[in-house]
Amino acid sequence: CSALVAANSGLADIQRIVANAQDYLVAGGWLVIEHGYDQREAVQSIFTANTFVDVQTFYDLANLPRITLGKQEF
């Protein structure tokens, strides 16, 4: 429920998940996040700021950006 009312324009939970992902992913593991259609650029920036590579966004059936993923390299 907090994702619906999260701080920072709804990005606070995504920032926390991405920032802590290395504690849960194996080297080279992928993180996949579903997000609001208007958050693509912000979510991509969060991924790259947290050392994710190969960051990509996929579009839903309505052609809206909904899923961003990246590979953690450490």
Side-chain angles (χ1 to χ4, degrees), residues 21-36:
Q22 67 182 356
D23 295 339
Y24 302 95
L25 293 175
V26 298
W30 290 85
L31 178 63
V32 180
I33 299 280
E34 181 180 12
H35 53 77

Side-chain angles (χ1 to χ4, degrees), residues 47-64:
F47 270 76
T48 56
N50 285 277
T51 69
F52 281 84
V53 297
D54 298 330
V55 176
Q56 304 171 51
T57 298
F58 292 90
Y59 289 70
D60 65 13
L61 294 176
N63 203 32
L64 297 172

Side-chain angles (χ1 to χ4, degrees), residues 3 10-11 13-19 21 30-36 39-40 43-44 46-47 52 56-58 65-70:
L11 295 169
D13 291 332
I14 291 173
Q15 289 171 318
R16 188 174 72 217
I17 291 167
V18 174
W30 290 85
L31 178 63
V32 180
I33 299 280
E34 181 180 12
H35 53 77
Q39 295 177 321
R40 178 183 60 86
V43 173
Q44 286 181 346
I46 292 168
F47 270 76
F52 281 84
Q56 304 171 51
T57 298
F58 292 90
R66 287 288 186 183
I67 303 289
T68 295
L69 56 88

